[in-house]
Amino acid sequence: MCAFPSDSSILFKRFNSEYYRWYPGMCQGTSARLNLPGPAVSDTQKAGARVRAPLGYRPARAGRLAPARACTDPERSLMADGPVAASVMRDGAQAFLASLTEEQLPAATAPLDAADHRGWTYLPGSRPGLSLLELDDVQRTSAMSLLASGLSTPGLQTARSIMALEVVLGDLERSAGIEGWPLRCPQQFWIRVLGVPSRSAPWAWRLNGHHLATHMTVVGDEVACTPAFFGANPAIVPCGPHRGRRTLGMEEDLARDLVNRLDDDQRAVAVTSTVAPWDLATRHDPVADAGLVPRRLSHDDMDTTQRRLLVILVRHYFGRVPPEVAASARHAVVELCLSDVTFGWAGRLRPGGADYYAIKGPTFLLEYHNVQNEANHVHTVWRGLRHDWGSNLLAAHHAGRL
């Protein structure tokens, strides 16, 4: 039986043309801004039931298609052409840095080649950078504007929901008598700018915290956006004023729909085990090892409906970033390399159980995991197998191609 304490009552405050929800008493005695966009899901959705995909998916008659075109230009998938996104990020980073005091700048900045640049995690704890908790309202608004420059509108909504879940998790842990609940705070996220934001030299920025890791590398008008991690605990709020609110639900629903549409022969290839692994195969490694995720059922061995679901699922992950960056990733992978994309699943096929899946292509890897806390704790990650941390862009820059 879980109950939310009385000091978690929701108050509304108008701030910067948006309504923010405040939870008094959290964040070690400070007020924490909580934003939970969108309505709660229905009872059928919260259980992980099959839902209609919101990206134009319509069931098609089953049948085999001709093999997809082979990936003839894999290096193209390493380039994310986003002049608008790059420009907005530069402006956002410059505005954020300009809002800081001289005392704050050392924590918020670092050289692009900093030794800890590629160290990251999705676990609780501090990160390099300046936390949102250390910022005033104007600075925090500027930091969130920079975050918004690296995400699409749906991606930003999901990121804010992930940050807000820290308050929900803190309340759940307090009700359960778990020590450390005061550290659960939607402002315990760290922002950092590496290098000098400009068009003439490479630079990067990141915002990291529990279950949220956004890493952007910018070289001229090109943007690299991986590693990119979204997680949710609880994935479905079990009680309290937001009971039933679900985060990262479509990532599960689309994949479960796909695996349940496979025939016996296809499942023999795609489903590796009825027991899901404990966590993501690549964890939070600085470099994703593609060998940890074996190739399973290929796109070319799926029928029309299954292929369409696979494409929609890949696009859903890519759709977390700005439209022009997502469009470049979609074109390079979905239109050129589909024959090399594979899908693998481990865990229960029915909703409500622990599950894991991976989608692997020549240049990217998507992983989903929901096992912990009685399968109510989701981890998802998008890795660039050749371009995490903008390594391809930096190599092209140093070779004089960018």
Side-chain angles (χ1 to χ4, degrees), residues 121-387:
T121 181
Y122 44 84
L123 303 176
S126 63
R127 312 286 198 269
L130 196 63
S131 79
L132 301 183
L133 195 60
E134 300 173 84
L135 306 178
D136 62 30
D137 284 347
V138 173
Q139 294 168 336
R140 192 175 301 115
T141 300
S142 184
M144 292 302 292
S145 294
L146 180 56
L147 175 63
S149 73
L151 299 173
S152 64
T153 298
L156 180 62
Q157 285 184 318
T158 302
R160 283 176 164 168
S161 292
I162 290 167
M163 298 167 78
L165 282 175
E166 289 298 288
V167 175
V168 176
L169 182 57
D171 279 337
L172 293 173
E173 291 181 340
R174 176 163 55 176
S175 297
I178 298 175
E179 294 183 2
W181 65 263
L183 298 177
R184 302 295 189 182
C185 171
Q187 294 178 8
Q188 288 282 33
F189 291 81
W190 286 259
I191 188 167
R192 196 184 197 194
V193 177
L194 300 103
V196 179
S198 71
R199 196 175 185 278
S200 59
W203 64 284
W205 66 270
R206 57 192 288 171
L207 190 143
N208 298 75
H210 185 216
H211 282 163
L212 179 63
T214 301
H215 304 99
M216 298 289 165
T217 305
V218 185
V219 181
D221 289 334
E222 307 285 347
V223 178
C225 56
T226 58
F229 182 96
F230 278 9
N233 180 23
I236 303 174
V237 178
C239 58
H242 300 292
R243 182 178 183 272
R245 190 176 296 277
R246 190 179 184 203
T247 305
L248 300 176
M250 196 56 64
E251 285 80 353
E252 176 185 0
D253 293 343
L254 289 171
R256 194 179 298 281
D257 194 1
L258 172 57
V259 75
N260 279 303
R261 289 176 184 269
L262 302 180
D263 61 32
D264 291 341
D265 290 339
Q266 291 173 316
R267 286 186 187 175
V269 177
V271 180
T272 60
S273 172
T274 58
V275 179
W278 178 246
D279 206 346
L280 303 173
T282 56
R283 295 278 291 173
H284 41 82
D285 297 339
V287 178
D289 182 358
L292 296 174
V293 181
R295 290 176 55 85
R296 306 308 300 180
L297 183 67
S298 73
H299 168 272
D300 285 356
D301 291 328
M302 298 180 182
D303 65 31
T304 307
T305 301
Q306 295 161 354
R307 291 182 181 186
R308 189 170 298 176
L309 271 172
L310 179 64
V311 170
I312 289 172
L313 183 54
V314 171
R315 287 180 171 176
H316 183 69
Y317 277 83
F318 290 175
R320 295 173 177 177
V321 298
E324 64 269 31
V325 178
S328 178
R330 287 197 305 267
H331 173 77
V333 176
V334 174
E335 296 185 19
L336 299 181
C337 305
L338 271 178
S339 62
D340 295 319
V341 175
T342 64
F343 171 80
W345 177 281
R348 296 181 58 180
L349 301 182
R350 294 183 178 181
D355 50 24
Y356 165 90
Y357 68 80
I359 301 173
K360 181 178 176 181
T363 60
F364 78 100
L365 173 66
L366 307 175
E367 287 189 89
Y368 172 97
H369 177 270
N370 184 14
V371 172
Q372 301 175 48
N373 301 103
E374 299 181 350
N376 194 27
H377 184 153
V378 170
H379 292 165
T380 71
V381 71
W382 171 13
R383 301 300 301 259
L385 298 180
R386 303 179 191 174
H387 65 282

Side-chain angles (χ1 to χ4, degrees), residues 17-177:
S17 301
E18 291 183 326
Y19 280 104
Y20 289 92
R21 298 177 183 180
W22 295 70
Y23 270 73
M26 299 297 289
C27 290
Q28 301 172 339
T30 67
S31 293
R33 185 174 295 119
L34 171 65
N35 183 24
L36 288 168
V41 297
S42 66
D43 290 338
T44 56
Q45 288 176 310
K46 73 178 70 169
R50 181 178 297 172
V51 298
R52 178 173 294 177
L55 300 172
Y57 167 70
R58 294 293 185 274
R61 290 181 298 174
R64 301 288 175 179
L65 293 178
R69 181 169 50 176
C71 182
T72 57
D73 187 12
E75 292 302 316
R76 182 64 188 87
S77 67
L78 305 183
M79 303 293 183
D81 184 13
V84 175
S87 177
V88 174
M89 288 182 197
R90 280 194 297 272
D91 292 344
Q94 291 168 353
F96 169 66
L97 295 176
S99 73
L100 301 180
T101 66
E102 291 184 3
E103 292 75 20
Q104 291 172 315
L105 280 171
T109 58
L112 183 58
D113 59 356
D116 59 356
H117 174 34
R118 299 192 179 194
W120 73 286
T121 181
Y122 44 84
L123 303 176
S126 63
R127 312 286 198 269
L130 196 63
S131 79
L132 301 183
L133 195 60
E134 300 173 84
L135 306 178
D136 62 30
D137 284 347
V138 173
Q139 294 168 336
R140 192 175 301 115
T141 300
S142 184
M144 292 302 292
S145 294
L146 180 56
L147 175 63
S149 73
L151 299 173
S152 64
T153 298
L156 180 62
Q157 285 184 318
T158 302
R160 283 176 164 168
S161 292
I162 290 167
M163 298 167 78
L165 282 175
E166 289 298 288
V167 175
V168 176
L169 182 57
D171 279 337
L172 293 173
E173 291 181 340
R174 176 163 55 176
S175 297

